[in-house]
Amino acid sequence: GSGSIEREELKTILTTCMEESSLFLGEDHLNDLTDVMFDAAEKDRTGSMTFDDLRQVVEKHPSVMENLTLSATQWLKTSGPPKKEEKSWRHKLTWTYFRNNLRKIVFILLFAAIQLIITIYTIMAVLEKSSSDPAYTAIRIFASVGGMLLNFNCMFVLVLVLRKCHSLLRSTPLAAILPLDQHITFHKMVGAAIGVSAAIHVGGHIAHAVYVQTVTPEKNMTAVDILFTQKANMGWVAGTAYITGWPILGILIIMTICSLPFVRRGGHFEVFYWTHMLYVPFWILLIIHAEVFWYYLVLPLTMFIIEKILGSRLIKKARYGDIFVTEVGLLPSGVCHLVISRPDNFRYRPGDYIFLQIPAIAKFEWHPFTISSAPEMKGHIWLHVRTAGHWTKQLYEYFSALDPIQENPDKELKMRQRKSHARASWMPGKRQSQFKIKDKEELKAEKRIAQVMKKVHVKCNIDGPYGTATREIFETEHAVLVGAGIGVTPMASILQSIMYRYKESKRVCPNCKFSFYGVIPDSVMKLKKVHFIWINRDQKSFEWFVGLLNKIEKEQIDVAFEEGKDLEKVIDITLYMTAAKAKTDIRGAGLQMALSIIHRRDKKDLITGLSTRTQAGRPNWNEIFSKISEERKGKVKVFFCGAPQLGQVVKKACMKFDFRFRKENF
């Protein structure tokens, strides 16, 4: 009503914008945001902002200007619910899709061909011994085809979960041919094939029992006698084929139901895990049930038993000794940072994962987690575990209640500060700038991090490491790493390893300037450029990884400083906060403009403290990939880890720009 905006009014607007964007920046930062907006708009220092002042600020942001100048009818118009994008199968007929999914397509075609060959072979074998009754022949074909398919599929489903064998294959030329990244997907596919084969097999034998009862009464056997007793004398072990068939079917039904997503991902992982342990009686009964099944199973089962022996606690203890969780960080976002003692002979590659067991929480449960530390780190490995299920909640609660040992973060912090000041006082010349005295905000952040870390001594067991698609990272010229939420853990390991290798290549003798490493050979790292994109919903989800990103930014600056020239970044970092309202959204326009002004002024993002500006809203993949393709740093390969729905969106954009796509199961 006054025709101008007062300072407190603008502060109220920015407060509301922060609430809409799920941001919490504190009173000092809110006052700073208000001040920079007034400084940018108010020229005559009257203490208020006029319409013309506001217009001059907004005109510097064309997207905001366009949104604010919509007519009243446009503001009131409702767009209705968003249209669902129709799924089309046509993109699967393109060359780009075929190339990106070549291994997957070839595998499916080979699997289908094997099923067809087994079916044709079995039909021909039955027809050679067929009777004159076509109905009986048809019944025998159904039962025999289902049985032979079960022999192969029940063996092959085991091959697809031989993790140690898969990891070994990744270091061979076969890794370029076999679809090792999709082994869990194919495990599920073969499981579905087992269900179909079992239905055919059981249906054929039920039909056979009914046929014997009705068509051949002279045999004096009812369908019940055949199906539930040993009277028919079917099977190679005391005529127990029908008797063992029913518990096999029951186990299969239980395992199938408990493997469905509503159980596995619906907070009942333990149900899925323990019912899957029924594979032991399942295979024993199958060996007794089917005469030729053990021919199929003997080799995969031998490899499986060897893997289990190598993964046993006794062998692990002999190989690695005792392993302990030595430090734990509990973050408000529900992420638990575990620091685990690393044996000297434990070797892994960036992006690998391990299975973790903590007897104090559950004696028999093993859970997979990606290693978030770089292989070059000695003495320990990192895991970052998001609280998402029963076991992970127990993990967080256990370490929350656990008393720390020998922890004094305030004392440790003061010692680090004194060392920093001491180094800064005697370092001469331009080298002194490397030991910049930390400002108040950095010290507060360090103190907060130190306070949530606990020194502990908790026994644990690890199984692994196991490789993933990210093992191809150093064979890639231009890599794009996309992490969503806690799916950033493999990227953390990769980014650290890249910086270790890059810094090593820049080491020179201080006297003769001889380069110890020289240009990084392609055999070590082909990477010319890395784009890292991290997507989170809210502000607190950034907390655990921001410190590492800040370190990477500083290391790249330090390398440029030592070389005395502007160095093009090896790693470009882009962060997205999806809950935040973008500048084009009326609910976030003022806040985003203020954040942009502060970023230009301080060269630092107010949300994360990085030099990289946090982007509001969801990524525009077409725009991002278009800029990446224009850089021409070599063949682009996108590595993704996150929710499957987002993975499909990223994969579709990759196909449009002819980028290779690799996804880690999440």
Side-chain angles (χ1 to χ4, degrees), residues 33-191:
L33 288 167
T34 307
D35 291 340
V36 296
M37 281 290 285
F38 254 89
D39 291 343
E42 199 235 336
K43 305 298 183 184
D44 52 6
R45 305 290 178 181
T46 60
S48 62
M49 186 190 302
T50 65
F51 180 81
D52 288 335
D53 293 336
L54 177 64
R55 183 177 61 190
Q56 289 176 13
V57 176
V58 174
E59 282 176 345
K60 298 176 183 177
H61 305 268
S63 58
V64 179
M65 189 68 176
E66 181 181 355
N67 195 39
L68 288 174
T69 53
L70 291 172
S71 66
T73 55
Q74 288 291 105
W75 280 52
L76 295 172
K77 187 175 72 172
T78 58
S79 58
K83 293 182 179 179
K84 290 185 178 180
E85 187 177 351
E86 295 183 4
K87 292 184 178 179
S88 174
W89 50 268
R90 294 177 183 174
H91 74 282
K92 295 184 178 180
L93 301 179
T94 62
W95 165 248
T96 304
Y97 180 87
F98 183 79
R99 193 192 67 181
N100 273 317
N101 298 274
L102 180 60
R103 290 182 284 188
K104 177 181 176 181
I105 293 169
V106 170
F107 178 87
I108 292 173
L109 291 175
L110 284 174
F111 179 75
I114 291 171
Q115 304 293 296
L116 183 61
I117 291 169
I118 291 173
T119 301
I120 294 172
Y121 173 81
T122 307
I123 291 173
M124 292 176 66
V126 172
L127 288 175
E128 286 180 3
K129 303 175 183 179
S130 64
S131 65
S132 57
D133 188 347
Y136 182 72
T137 302
I139 289 171
R140 283 193 61 198
I141 287 174
F142 266 88
S144 299
V145 167
M148 291 298 289
L149 289 175
L150 280 171
N151 285 333
F152 175 79
N153 292 333
C154 289
M155 172 276 298
F156 194 54
V157 78
L158 174 61
V159 172
L160 294 168
V161 290
L162 296 173
R163 293 188 181 90
K164 292 187 186 298
C165 294
H166 295 171
S167 292
L168 289 173
L169 286 171
R170 287 183 185 276
S171 58
T172 69
L174 289 174
I177 302 172
L178 299 174
L180 298 173
D181 301 330
Q182 288 87 24
H183 70 102
I184 295 297
T185 302
F186 295 139
H187 177 76
K188 296 175 186 176
M189 183 185 75
V190 176

Side-chain angles (χ1 to χ4, degrees), residues 573-592:
I573 300 171
T574 310
L575 308 181
Y576 285 89
M577 182 174 163
T578 58
K581 307 302 178 185
K583 282 196 292 188
T584 53
D585 191 317
I586 195 67
R587 294 168 292 178
L591 176 62
Q592 293 300 325

Side-chain angles (χ1 to χ4, degrees), residues 23 36 42 108 119 124 166 169 228 246 264 277 339 406 409 416 470 494 568 604 638:
L23 274 173
V36 296
E42 199 235 336
I108 292 173
T119 301
M124 292 176 66
H166 295 171
L169 286 171
F228 299 101
W246 295 113
R264 193 177 69 255
M277 295 297 104
V339 180
Q406 299 176 352
R416 290 202 304 268
T470 53
I494 292 167
E568 185 181 2
K604 186 172 73 172
V638 178

